[in-house]
Amino acid sequence: MSSTSITPLMPVYPRCDVRPVRGEGCYLFGERGERYLDFASGIAVNALGHGDARLVKAIADQAATLMHVSNLYGSPQGEKLAQTIVDTTFADTVFFTNSGAEAVECAIKTARRYHYANGEAHRHKIITFANAFHGRTLGTISATNQPKMRDGFEPLLPGFEVLAFNDLAAAEAAIDENTAGFMLEPVQGEGGILPATQEFLQGIRALCDAHGLLLILDEVQCGVGRTGTLFAHEQYGVTPDIMAVAKGIGAGFPLGACLATEEAAKGMVAGTHGSTYGGNPLAMAVGSTVWGIISEPAFLEHVRAMGERLRGALEQMIPNHDALFESVRGMGLMLGIKLKSDSRGFVAHLRDRHGLLTVAAGDNVVRILPPLVINESHIAECIEKLSAGARDYVPPAAA
Ligand SMILES: Cc1ncc(COP(=O)(O)O)c(C=O)c1O
């Protein structure tokens, strides 16, 4: 049993002492007025930083006009954003959600319904990959192999098989008559900023084509400009059949989406799925504003340029602290520094001693996920804080 005593906020998060009350651009301010350089962005959410005037205005205007109506009614606001998404991606159709896990749930349901619609309901099994993270609902924790997320919640949803990431031969060997498709993050986020190899993602696409399977991509963390293209899969020359999106698409407002081709979505007919809030006018105003900004070629070019600068600077810094740092990995502004020991202590040290917010991830990785609107001065400040942090960090003695 846990010794934690109950608190008004259910104590499922090990919250740190930072208590933000205000945000401005790339900075957060705590209750005591202390300032943090925010290279965590709410875990890849605040793509436009804090308090972006365009986003604030869109929210205020829409809130004053019409905040919510039921999906029982027509949705000009939803049609507008869905059309924009269809025009700029592989997708033919979109279902709006309030979170990433809901977008993944919709993706899983869409895949199962596809095979059901084809008269092959037995094809229900989705192959997923080790150290993936797809959310915290019962369905999405069933799609992972991580005991810390699954323990105590059994029985979980059957129909998932978890394989080693980037192992194409294992993926091919696991296909059987019950397989519905594959689901993966092109760049694993929580798992430790681990990109799929080109060979792996292209190989999975080819396996899907050869066996009539669906490719579901989870771009909840790596999508919406984070890697320097609108979606990470564009850098692999591969398109999915179904894709889950969230985080950056709302840039701080709870919004997600499940995108699909017409073929993949053929089972999702009236009555098969729904959400009270999903796609409400306020969320659609946010999504339209964010998408309009982030999908601009010049914006994406900025992300790529800043990503290269930041990565180059991190790579230069590493040899100066080679007892602590091992390597840099990732794409665009989704970067990770792999440490030689557990990353959580260093993330806390950067936060508490140097006012730099980053996020710990699996595989001893410190995630660097700045707002996509950073400039060179933010990069210089981040490197200064990281270097200073590396100099005065004393790792906990090995147990
Ligand atoms: C790749 C991925 N999928 C799904 C999720 C779940 O998103 P949410 O927390 O909005 O439900 C996350 C959240 O971190 C994620 O990184």
Side-chain angles (χ1 to χ4, degrees):
M1 296 293 284
S2 162
S3 61
T4 317
S5 56
I6 201 70
T7 51
L9 272 180
M10 194 181 275
V12 294
Y13 283 105
R15 294 175 189 272
C16 70
D17 290 339
V18 176
R19 296 165 66 82
V21 290
R22 185 168 72 82
E24 200 180 304
C26 299
Y27 296 92
L28 274 181
F29 297 85
E31 267 179 338
R32 296 181 305 278
E34 71 281 19
R35 186 175 99 135
Y36 300 91
L37 178 63
D38 185 7
F39 271 37
S41 304
I43 317 190
V45 168
N46 302 100
L48 304 178
H50 301 281
D52 180 276
R54 299 160 292 185
L55 190 51
V56 170
K57 182 172 182 334
I59 292 171
D61 288 353
Q62 188 62 48
T65 308
L66 180 64
M67 198 156 12
H68 176 82
V69 292
S70 166
N71 282 310
L72 292 172
Y73 308 113
S75 174
Q77 307 86 358
E79 283 164 12
K80 176 177 163 223
L81 178 56
Q83 188 62 53
T84 306
I85 293 175
V86 164
D87 289 344
T88 39
T89 68
F90 74 95
D92 300 311
T93 190
V94 183
F95 181 87
F96 291 111
T97 69
N98 312 291
S99 69
E102 286 173 79
V104 175
E105 287 278 345
C106 180
I108 294 167
K109 288 179 73 173
T110 302
R112 285 192 171 179
R113 278 293 291 204
Y114 168 76
H115 293 293
Y116 173 86
N118 284 341
E120 297 186 299
H122 60 280
R123 296 179 75 169
H124 67 279
K125 187 180 79 175
I126 296 177
I127 299 174
T128 63
F129 296 95
N131 300 318
F133 181 71
H134 298 296
R136 295 290 199 150
T137 60
L138 278 172
T140 55
I141 62 173
S142 306
T144 73
N145 67 341
Q146 302 197 45
K148 66 174 188 219
M149 287 170 206
R150 299 167 53 111
D151 284 356
F153 295 116
E154 291 89 355
L156 298 179
L157 185 68
F160 294 96
E161 184 173 353
V162 184
L163 306 177
F165 191 52
N166 278 331
D167 183 343
L168 189 57
E172 181 163 19
I175 297 170
D176 63 23
E177 70 281 3
N178 295 326
T179 307
F182 289 93
M183 180 164 77
L184 66 119
E185 298 157 82
V187 186
Q188 286 194 339
E190 304 296 313
I193 310 291
L194 199 59
T197 63
Q198 290 278 333
E199 182 202 20
F200 181 67
L201 192 45
Q202 288 172 4
I204 294 282
R205 176 72 267 175
L207 287 175
C208 287
D209 294 341
H211 295 271
L213 307 175
L214 296 172
L215 175 58
I216 304 170
L217 292 182
D218 179 348
E219 292 225 20
V220 166
Q221 191 161 148
C222 63
V224 198
R226 175 63 45 194
T227 65
T229 45
L230 193 50
F231 289 100
H233 65 257
E234 296 166 34
Q235 297 179 50
Y236 290 83
V238 155
T239 54
D241 302 296
I242 305 170
M243 180 167 74
V245 176
K247 291 188 183 271
I249 191 176
F253 189 89
L255 173 60
C258 174
L259 284 55
T261 62
E262 182 178 3
E263 173 68 7
K266 73 190 203 189
M268 300 303 279
V269 296
T272 53
H273 198 49
S275 164
T276 295
Y277 289 125
N280 86 7
L282 189 54
M284 297 299 91
V286 168
S288 291
T289 302
V290 173
W291 195 281
I293 295 168
I294 291 182
S295 63
E296 276 295 319
F299 187 94
L300 295 169
E301 177 52 42
H302 173 79
V303 177
R304 288 194 291 276
M306 290 301 109
E308 274 167 36
R309 290 282 163 84
L310 180 53
R311 192 190 182 110
L314 292 172
E315 275 166 357
Q316 262 190 349
M317 182 192 68
I318 277 196
N320 302 332
H321 308 282
D322 58 358
L324 181 62
F325 299 141
E326 194 174 299
S327 56
V328 178
R329 61 199 198 198
M331 287 157 60
L333 287 173
M334 184 175 186
L335 294 170
I337 313 173
K338 183 166 162 58
L339 265 50
K340 291 188 169 160
S341 55
D342 189 81
S343 59
R344 282 169 296 187
F346 188 56
V347 165
H349 176 75
L350 290 172
R351 179 186 72 221
D352 298 339
R353 292 288 300 276
H354 297 279
L356 174 63
L357 302 183
T358 58
V359 194
D363 201 22
N364 298 339
V365 163
V366 176
R367 263 181 289 180
I368 313 276
L369 301 165
L372 304 182
V373 293
I374 53 164
N375 61 36
E376 304 207 7
S377 75
H378 301 116
I379 293 179
E381 190 180 343
C382 167
I383 297 295
E384 210 176 278
K385 288 176 182 295
L386 271 171
S387 305
R391 276 197 301 276
D392 60 13
Y393 179 57
V394 183

